Structures are given as structure tokens and as C-alpha cells.
Amino acid sequence: MRLGLIGFGNIAVTLLGQLAETIDAPLECLTVLCLPEFAGETTARLAGEFAGVATEVAVVTEAPALLSHRPQLVIECAGHMAVATHVPTVLRASVDVVVVSIGALSDESLEKELRLAAADGRAHLILPAGAVGGIDLLAALGAAGGLEVRYRGSKPPLAWSGTPAEAAIDLGALTEAEIFFTGTAREAARQFPKNANVAATLALAGAGFEATHVELVADPAAPGNVHEYSVVSPLAKYSMRIENLPSAGNAKTSVSTVYSVLREIRNRIGPVAI
Ligand SMILES: NC(=O)c1ccc[n+]([C@@H]2O[C@H](COP(=O)([O-])OP(=O)(O)OC[C@H]3O[C@@H](n4cnc5c(N)ncnc54)[C@H](O)[C@@H]3O)[C@@H](O)[C@H]2O)c1
């Protein structure tokens, strides 16, 4: 496979480590699009710890240069700005893109632009399950309409530092769980952009940003990032609770997210997709 990566942070690096361990043969080509200031360091790391992941390796800083290496699939794992700057160009060039920074799609105009670019390029905008599960069932039930989706995201209090939760409650003094936000997935993404990925994934798969109900909780007893949601539809009801471990390189990112991206690649390389 000829693979493109946008971003070379925690998810990209962990993903490459897992790819090196799990694929039978090196990728035909790996092209990494990074910020210009990190091009030298990225080139050195690819030649060092990741030598052997791909037969041909390139580091670029712009989407046209990424496309010149003819990727068959591009994974975005860089952030909202990178989605807006690079992903429409890649989709318009008929290359499928897995967007990991799904929270970016809570911006209505960017969501529209991405859908249009995918349609124009006859490419797929692929939204992986990321840190949650059960997205297959939610998206399937969504087609029948009439969904009620309620999501609750809990983290230890200090994991909410640097967000508007700080103004709502005294994070350092909490002794029991406290809900500091209730509202729609759209509002949650607007106020807590760095924690928007799961609410956005549920909204896009199911009832949409306005009809997905979100609660955010600071919980001293939370064992890590805990995602719980319930779905009521005319066809089925289910609920989920996922306790994710943080990844070694970035405590904000659940390590299962990386495995969800790995699955997207393996399903395209291997003989069976599941
Ligand atoms: N879908 C999910 O469930 C889920 C879960 C966790 C994280 N995420 C998202 O995945 C993304 C990456 O997470 P991470 O833990 O790897 O973050 P990270 O901060 O470790 O890495 C991001 C990398 O992208 C690079 N970058 C930033 N802007 C760029 C640009 N314009 N062009 C090229 N590179 C750029 C940065 O230099 C950095 O190396 C974040 O947006 C995060 O919100 C999604």
C-alpha cells in the first residue's frame, strides 16, 4: 500500500510502531505531511526508529507534494487546522482520507466543504470509530431515524484543566463526581474543542449534532477516559461503557483510538475486512 499521514504526533508515531509489528511486508510508500519546522526531525525519525516500515519514504509540508507520491489512502491525525487546510485538496484528488480529528466536523461549514470535496473527487471521507465502539450499530440504526442518543464523558478532575470546566467548578477540591456541562453535541464541541471527538463521532453516526445529548463529568473515581452512551431507536436499544487507557505519548488520546485507525489500514491491506 502507498500510505499518506498528515501529522507526526502521538497517534501517527504509535500507529507506525503498530504497523511495523503487524504487517507482513513493508508498505510500498509512506509519505508524511508535517509542519515545516518539524520536517528535519521527522525525516530523521523515519530513517531511524521507523526504517523498514516502508520501502520508499518521503516527508512533505503541503498537500500537492503529498499527492505527488500517489497515496492510495491518507490518514489525518494532526488537528482541526490540518483538516481544513489539507483534507479537501486530498479528497478532490480522488484519494480516500481517514479523518481522526473528527471534532473538526462540528464546524458546519467545514463539514459541508469536506462532503463536497469527497463528492467532487469521488473519494471517501472515512470517519473511524476512534475512542468509542458500537458506531457500526449506531450508524445502521440511524438510517431508520427516530434515534435518541445520550452521551456522558467522564475524566478525572485535573484532566479537565485548561477547559471552561475550571470556571464552573473547583477541579482540585472535588471529592465526588460533578456534571459541569449538559447540552447538545454542537455546543459541547464549541465549548470543549479538544474533547469534541467522541461527541462528534456519535452525532455524525447517529442523530446529528443538535439532537445528541451530552453530559461532561469531572469524577475523582474515573479510572481514565470513560465514555458511556445509550441509544433508543424504534428498532433496538443499547448502551455502552468504555474505559480507555491513555496512550503513552499523549494522555488526552485514548490508546484504543490508534488501534481503530490501524483497523482502517488492515481492512484495506488484508484479504478480509471486519
Ligand atoms: N477520533 C477520536 O476518537 C480521537 C481520539 C483522540 C485524538 N483524536 C484527534 O487526533 C488528532 C491527533 O492526536 P494526537 O494525540 O496524535 O495529537 P499530537 O498533538 O500528539 O499530534 C499532532 C501532530 O500534528 C502536527 N500538526 C499540527 N498541525 C499540523 C498541520 N497543519 N499540518 C501537519 N501537521 C500538523 C503536530 O505538529 C503534531 O505532531 C487530534 O486532533 C485529536 O483531537 C481523535
Side-chain angles (χ1 to χ4, degrees):
M1 170 186 262
R2 302 182 69 84
L3 182 69
L5 283 181
I6 301 177
F8 197 66
N10 167 63
I11 290 183
V13 166
T14 315
L15 180 70
L16 286 185
Q18 289 165 352
L19 263 181
E21 281 174 21
T22 55
I23 56 176
D24 297 331
L27 298 169
E28 188 183 328
C29 177
L30 170 67
T31 309
V32 176
L33 189 163
C34 66
L35 291 170
E37 56 269 40
F38 296 122
E41 180 191 325
T42 304
T43 305
R45 290 189 72 182
L46 287 170
E49 63 202 274
F50 298 113
V53 172
T55 309
E56 184 190 331
V57 174
V59 175
V60 299
T61 57
E62 300 286 350
L66 172 70
L67 292 169
S68 74
H69 292 276
R70 298 177 286 110
Q72 294 160 301
L73 178 71
V74 168
I75 315 272
E76 174 285 325
C77 41
H80 189 139
M81 276 306 291
V83 175
T85 308
H86 303 302
V87 174
T89 309
V90 177
L91 288 169
R92 284 210 161 80
S94 306
V95 178
D96 292 349
V97 183
V98 176
V99 169
V100 183
S101 307
I102 297 184
L105 276 79
S106 62
D107 173 340
E108 266 178 301
S109 62
L110 180 55
E111 182 190 349
K112 264 190 206 140
E113 189 187 351
L114 292 170
R115 286 182 186 272
L116 195 63
D120 284 353
R122 294 174 185 252
H124 278 110
L125 169 64
I126 300 157
L127 304 175
V132 273
I135 297 303
D136 53 347
L137 182 56
L138 179 56
L141 295 176
L147 283 183
E148 192 186 313
V149 182
R150 305 184 77 82
Y151 164 66
R152 180 182 172 105
S154 309
K155 294 183 186 186
L158 294 183
W160 294 108
S161 303
T163 76
E166 271 179 338
I169 49 178
D170 183 352
L171 292 170
L174 275 191
T175 52
E176 55 188 45
E178 188 146 340
I179 301 167
F180 57 83
F181 172 87
T182 56
T184 65
R186 177 90 63 206
E187 189 54 28
R190 199 185 62 74
Q191 288 190 36
F192 300 88
K194 291 195 174 142
N195 297 277
N197 293 306
V198 171
T201 305
L202 295 174
L204 286 158
F209 280 95
E210 317 304 341
T212 300
H213 184 268
V214 174
E215 270 181 14
L216 299 177
V217 183
D219 182 359
N225 295 349
V226 181
H227 304 294
E228 295 166 279
Y229 70 95
S230 62
V231 176
V232 178
S233 114
L235 307 181
K237 294 178 188 174
Y238 74 98
S239 54
M240 279 260 170
R241 175 184 163 92
I242 302 156
E243 288 180 14
N244 276 324
L245 291 181
S247 60
N250 181 349
K252 287 206 178 80
T253 293
S254 304
V255 74
S256 62
T257 301
V258 187
Y259 280 84
S260 147
V261 179
L262 181 67
R263 171 176 170 266
E264 297 292 342
I265 298 172
R266 286 168 58 90
N267 275 348
R268 283 165 183 78
I269 296 180
V272 177
I274 187 161

